Amino acid sequence: MTPRDRSKQNWGIKTRKWPALFALAGLTTLPLGTTSAATLDIESVRASASGDKRGPRPASAAIDGRLDTRWSANGVGQWIEADLGRTHRLDRLDVAWFKGHRRSSSYEVQVSDDGRRWRRVAAGRSSGKDRGFEAIALANVSGRYVRIVGLGNSINGWNSINELRLDGVALGGDAVPPTQPLDDDRGAPAPRPIIDESPIVGGDEPPAPIEEPAPTAEPEPEPEPTNADEPVSDDPAPAVEEPTTEDPEPQPLPSGTPAPSGTIPVLVAGPGFDSAIPPATVLSQEPGGDETAIARWDVVPYQEFESTFTVGVLAFHINGIERVDFSLDGGPWASVAEPTLNPRTGVNEYTVALDPARLSAGPVKLRAVAVPKVGLYRALPTLTLNADGRGELPNLGRYVSPTGSDNNGDGSRAAPFRTVNHAAKSIADANNGLADGGTIYLLPGEHVLGGSPGKVTTKNRWLTVTRAAGVAENQVKIVGTDSRLKTRLFRVKDLTYQRRAGRSEAMFPADRNAEDHLWIDGCELIGNGRLDKAHWYQKSPPYEGIYVTDTSATNSKDGFLDSDLQRNVRLGTIGSDAFSKCVLVINSSVDRIDKSGSSYHADVYQFGKSPDRNTNVIIYGLRAEGDISAQGLFCGDDRKLTDVAVVNSLFDNQNRPNPDKRRVFQISSPARHFYVLNNDFVGIAVFRTDVQFAAKNVVLEDNRFLKTTGVLGLPSNWDEPGVTVLPVPPLFD
């Protein structure tokens, strides 16, 4: 079988053959001007931006030392970055926003050491009141690359910056007053001065405080110039990615409005979905024409958002993805033809944005359809989120302390309750029986989850347990669970859990009679050792949905098995399975698996037996390297793989004694539409034709298989019918 030509596909993923991100835009290198306030020793700065075409508003305009030039880009997720040449410690980023006194700009600040892996270090909105520089505190951050991701402004979707400074240092020379007004797109004389009379460069004065505007205080849109001869105005008529008409009966195929390349479209809501998406039918006899797109939401459902919220979908097919169509509450479909960086997740994926200012408070529903270039589309399950752009949804809070009282406390910080369950009940009692959107704040000490009563109702929003404001991470610890809190949507955020010595207990028991969902977010979990057989959450009865984000776990038998999403998860010192049976793993890692002294069948990733654990599975950016005494990617002969993508991952289990006993890649079952793209496998790889392996549309593309002997080689039986290797051997490296 020879799949269709993929030479023109845009996978939206970084491979070892691609240049660094800033090379996409064409760099401008400028000497760093001197200033009396300089604290950084930088010889030169290079600026780049998404979609930078060296036009009249290039990235270089933001570091040229002038306040009458600017960088501009339209669309949520557009970015500008500076390469400082080497790693620096950074405490403050100063931004002079275009029209900063008339509109509030939303942003994220990210830093990177290598230009590829980014860390979010700040996020917020400009004041909308300042024509000069506004300071963004970076809290002792270090990095070589600094990126600002624009999320639009309070009037439109444009992101525009006149000038940037780091720690008070101008990046392209001292900023000077403009030769033309800052707020006039047409270049006509302005009726008033546009910069403050106080100095804005150098000097010892402290940075101006950043004021978060209330939602109701956003400036009203002002009339914008309509001069047809002005090609570079950043306030045009409504952008094509923000349609204003509603499609009364959405038809996702093929009526979606295409989003311009490199932009993130903002969805427009409709009156609600009134029909189901019809099933896909085979329309092509080309290879792979009968295979369904592999696609999943990269978002935890039921979240609430008060500002612009980006939603992503990861999608793959052996013939390439033509587009992903999105619709919000039955509104007009928007088509996204290529992945872009989702600023909220840091993942290159098919991304759209939601603006809560345009939505009524409460649940909103999204649909997405992944359409391959040749093949069958996949309609993703409807996703529910909650808009709250004006702060109308109830968000009640209660405090809990190990020294508090359920009898005499009132849940305030001064008089906290003693147990989490009692605090949850108090929130529900004050909100018509619902604990939706409630937050339980833990005060310093060691806490045990539980208490009485054991059940509260949540329907559409998460009930969250987290540490109280001003309480350091090391001051609060959960040490066990005495009784379950029965509720549909339960989230733990930014907490440390350390299992009690000698206790083999699940941290989060499930309710047998409810469709419970669990979200572990930003936590650190510590078990009683790699031979401790307790799971982090109760597996039987199972949760309806398990989501783990930005979390680490160590000293346990397993990682987070049978989950629905793991993103930015770090595992260390486990005894058996790391990521097995998770249907979506993104940018996660494990550095030690040691099964010695046990009979465990240890695997980095083992596919599950049930169809919901071996169908439509995506493993993206998984890294298993270090002290790995386990098989790598494994599928037994008692299951079947269908619609599976393994992308941009590294599996290396050769750093332990007797490496020949551990296969890094072993597929023993039938496999259909199994797409392995741009991975490194270090160890023995095999398709087990001696067991049950049989292939249909199995494609290995741009991978590197390295045997234990140190020579390149493909999996045994790679030339079986139904398996295609690209490029054709021996040119696969």
Side-chain angles (χ1 to χ4, degrees), residues 32-40 165-171 173-175 200-203:
L32 180 66
T34 59
T35 172
S36 60
T39 58
L40 296 176
R165 300 187 310 196
L166 280 169
D167 290 359
V169 179
L171 297 182
D174 291 344
I200 58 175
V201 177

Side-chain angles (χ1 to χ4, degrees), residues 27 41 52 88 98 159 198 213 251 277 286 288 290 344 347 365 435 505 537 566 580-581 648 651 707 720 728-729:
L27 293 177
D41 179 19
D52 193 348
H88 290 270
F98 177 63
N159 310 284
S198 57
Q251 296 293 327
I277 297 173
E286 293 189 48
D290 57 348
R344 186 179 58 82
V347 179
K365 296 186 181 297
E505 57 188 357
Y537 35 77
Q566 293 189 50
S580 295
K581 294 175 280 188
N648 282 15
F651 293 82
K707 295 181 179 180
E720 281 291 304
V728 178

Side-chain angles (χ1 to χ4, degrees), residues 331-601:
W333 288 84
S335 294
V336 180
E338 59 185 15
T340 189
L341 179 69
N342 184 337
R344 186 179 58 82
T345 63
V347 179
N348 280 346
E349 51 197 4
Y350 298 88
T351 306
V352 294
L354 309 180
D355 182 358
R358 305 180 181 185
L359 305 173
S360 300
V364 296
K365 296 186 181 297
L366 288 88
R367 287 183 178 175
V369 181
V371 184
K373 294 180 178 179
V374 173
L376 305 178
Y377 63 78
R378 180 180 296 275
L380 278 65
T382 301
L383 174 70
T384 300
L385 298 169
N386 295 279
D388 192 21
R390 291 167 290 277
E392 300 174 54
L393 297 180
N395 290 280
L396 303 180
R398 297 291 187 269
Y399 289 85
V400 170
S401 169
T403 60
S405 172
D406 289 347
N407 295 323
N408 301 319
D410 59 11
S412 66
R413 190 159 191 156
F417 294 127
R418 187 180 66 84
T419 65
V420 166
N421 288 14
H422 194 88
K425 179 64 163 53
S426 175
I427 291 173
D429 288 345
N431 187 36
N432 299 316
L434 290 177
D436 283 38
T439 303
I440 300 170
Y441 299 103
L442 302 186
L443 294 170
E446 293 188 349
H447 295 257
V448 176
L449 296 180
S452 179
K455 185 174 184 177
V456 296
T457 300
T458 48
K459 290 186 176 180
N460 291 306
R461 300 162 65 210
W462 296 93
L463 171 63
T464 299
V465 178
T466 187
R467 64 179 185 270
V471 177
E473 182 179 354
N474 61 1
Q475 291 181 293
V476 172
K477 185 181 296 184
I478 298 175
V479 296
T481 303
D482 283 346
S483 61
R484 69 170 61 104
L485 176 61
K486 301 177 182 178
T487 194
R488 182 170 183 260
L489 300 169
F490 185 59
R491 176 192 189 191
V492 287
K493 177 176 174 57
D494 297 335
L495 292 173
T496 298
Y497 174 91
Q498 186 160 12
R499 188 173 285 140
R500 290 176 284 192
R503 299 285 291 269
S504 184
E505 57 188 357
M507 177 180 177
F508 306 107
D511 184 359
R512 185 177 300 275
N513 299 314
E515 296 180 349
D516 288 354
H517 295 72
L518 172 65
W519 182 10
I520 304 173
D521 182 25
C523 294
E524 179 182 8
L525 278 59
I526 306 169
N528 283 328
R530 58 184 177 81
L531 302 182
D532 182 359
K533 295 184 178 181
H535 296 284
W536 293 119
Y537 35 77
Q538 185 172 326
K539 294 184 63 180
S540 180
Y543 278 88
E544 181 73 14
I546 297 173
Y547 316 93
V548 187
T549 55
D550 302 307
T551 289
S552 66
T554 187
N555 288 321
S556 63
K557 177 190 174 187
D558 298 309
F560 303 101
L561 308 185
D562 296 278
S563 53
D564 297 273
L565 167 63
Q566 293 189 50
R567 187 195 322 117
N568 298 334
V569 171
R570 302 166 304 282
L571 302 179
T573 312
I574 63 174
S576 186
D577 283 12
F579 298 97
S580 295
K581 294 175 280 188
C582 176
V583 294
L584 180 58
V585 180
I586 303 174
N587 294 345
S588 297
S589 63
V590 58
D591 59 18
R592 187 173 186 228
I593 302 177
D594 181 4
K595 69 170 191 173
S596 60
S598 75
S599 59
Y600 297 154
H601 183 285

Side-chain angles (χ1 to χ4, degrees), residues 169-303:
V169 179
L171 297 182
D174 291 344
V176 297
T179 57
Q180 292 192 17
L182 295 179
D183 60 344
D184 191 321
D185 283 322
R186 296 164 294 180
R192 61 186 186 280
I194 30 204
I195 59 173
D196 294 331
E197 296 179 359
S198 57
I200 58 175
V201 177
D204 298 323
E205 71 276 10
I210 299 176
E211 180 181 352
E212 183 77 9
T216 56
E218 280 191 354
E220 292 294 324
E222 298 182 25
E224 296 296 332
T226 57
N227 185 355
D229 296 328
E230 172 56 47
V232 296
S233 170
D234 77 345
D235 292 317
V240 286
E241 68 267 28
E242 299 182 15
T244 57
T245 59
E246 295 182 357
D247 186 350
E249 187 173 351
Q251 296 293 327
L253 305 173
S255 62
T257 301
S261 177
T263 66
I264 298 178
V266 179
L267 298 184
V268 175
F273 295 107
D274 57 5
S275 62
I277 297 173
T281 57
V282 178
L283 300 176
S284 173
Q285 300 303 313
E286 293 189 48
D290 57 348
E291 303 296 3
T292 303
I294 308 162
R296 285 194 175 269
W297 294 106
D298 177 20
V299 60
V300 177
Y302 303 108
Q303 294 185 68

